[in-house]
Amino acid sequence: MRKFVLTYLILFVVYFLFTQVANAENIHFNDSIYHLKYSDISPANKVVENEYFQPKEYRDYWTSMVGIYYYPEVSNPLKYAAEFDKKIGEKENFLLLKFIRNKKQDIALLSYLENIVQNDKTFFIYHICKYEKHPKKGMMILRFAKKYVFNTKEEITSIGHEVKSINDDYMEKLIISPIPPIVQKQIP
């Protein structure tokens, strides 16, 4: 009887370890699970992109997503984030919400709204990006994005109130979230 119990215990531990390895390409953020569904390396600048989406969503259709980007040639995340902040201010369809820099830790956080018209639908994309140095070389970006579709001015006002109420909380969550490692593989 003890042999059976020991065998079942060992099988359970092995099963648990294998399921953890299989789920290593998942990200848990804000009570949702995101699965790696897009991975690419830019041949021009060697930027590695990993994009995670909720089940039944993908790169062309999503409501929220998490992105991890590795820029091997960018050495100063604060300067890069400040330059992106300037670009946001220059574009008509972007609205900066908050920009935070921590010079001691070489981390910057940026939140903004983007207004997009696509397939006769108008929507906002709420973005939060965390920029930090890679431990060895380059810079990492952790990005959370959420889409809001709207048709009326009342819906725009409601979206504005929601984004205002969640922005500080989401930024705090991103600050304390470690950036997961980049996964370099082909996604079918």
Side-chain angles (χ1 to χ4, degrees):
M1 183 69 175
R2 284 188 151 177
K3 288 182 182 181
F4 288 119
V5 172
L6 183 62
T7 303
Y8 285 122
L9 183 62
I10 290 172
L11 286 174
F12 177 74
V13 169
V14 169
Y15 173 77
F16 181 75
L17 290 174
F18 278 121
T19 59
Q20 293 305 310
V21 171
N23 291 331
E25 294 171 3
N26 296 338
I27 292 178
H28 298 262
F29 182 76
N30 199 37
D31 300 328
S32 295
I33 298 174
Y34 296 87
H35 305 279
L36 180 64
K37 295 190 179 177
Y38 177 79
S39 180
D40 195 19
I41 300 174
S42 168
N45 55 13
K46 306 288 187 244
V47 172
V48 181
E49 300 177 347
N50 287 171
E51 293 182 346
Y52 296 75
F53 301 93
Q54 293 185 16
K56 299 181 183 177
E57 295 185 351
Y58 50 92
R59 195 159 200 235
D60 294 330
Y61 173 77
W62 55 274
T63 55
S64 65
M65 60 89 66
V66 175
I68 301 168
Y69 309 95
Y70 172 56
Y71 289 73
E73 303 303 320
V74 177
S75 61
N76 189 338
L78 297 178
K79 183 179 177 185
Y80 187 90
E83 289 171 4
F84 194 74
D85 174 43
K86 276 186 183 178
K87 289 179 186 176
I88 289 173
E90 295 169 356
K91 293 187 178 185
E92 194 173 290
N93 60 326
F94 283 68
L95 174 66
L96 177 68
L97 299 173
K98 201 175 257 189
F99 181 40
I100 300 170
R101 288 179 272 209
N102 184 328
K103 293 181 181 180
K104 289 181 180 179
Q105 295 181 334
D106 258 347
I107 295 175
L109 233 69
L110 189 65
S111 65
Y112 61 97
L113 277 176
E114 179 180 9
N115 186 3
I116 292 183
V117 177
Q118 187 178 35
N119 300 331
D120 296 330
K121 290 186 179 179
T122 307
F123 53 90
F124 289 123
I125 300 180
Y126 167 60
H127 298 271
I128 304 174
C129 299
K130 175 182 172 180
Y131 305 83
E132 72 178 39
K133 273 192 168 232
H134 187 275
K136 294 180 182 173
K137 177 187 174 196
M139 173 189 70
M140 299 287 291
I141 299 175
L142 175 61
R143 175 175 74 123
F144 172 76
K146 183 175 179 179
K147 281 186 184 176
Y148 293 92
V149 179
F150 62 88
N151 296 311
T152 65
K153 288 185 179 184
E154 291 81 22
E155 290 174 326
I156 293 173
T157 304
S158 174
I159 292 167
H161 289 298
E162 180 180 333
V163 168
K164 183 179 178 184
S165 69
I166 65 172
N167 190 49
D168 288 342
D169 184 42
Y170 278 30
M171 288 184 87
E172 187 175 313
K173 287 179 183 181
L174 227 58
I175 286 172
I176 62 173
S177 296
I179 298 180
I182 286 291
V183 176
Q184 294 183 12
K185 74 173 206 171
Q186 292 294 87
I187 308 284

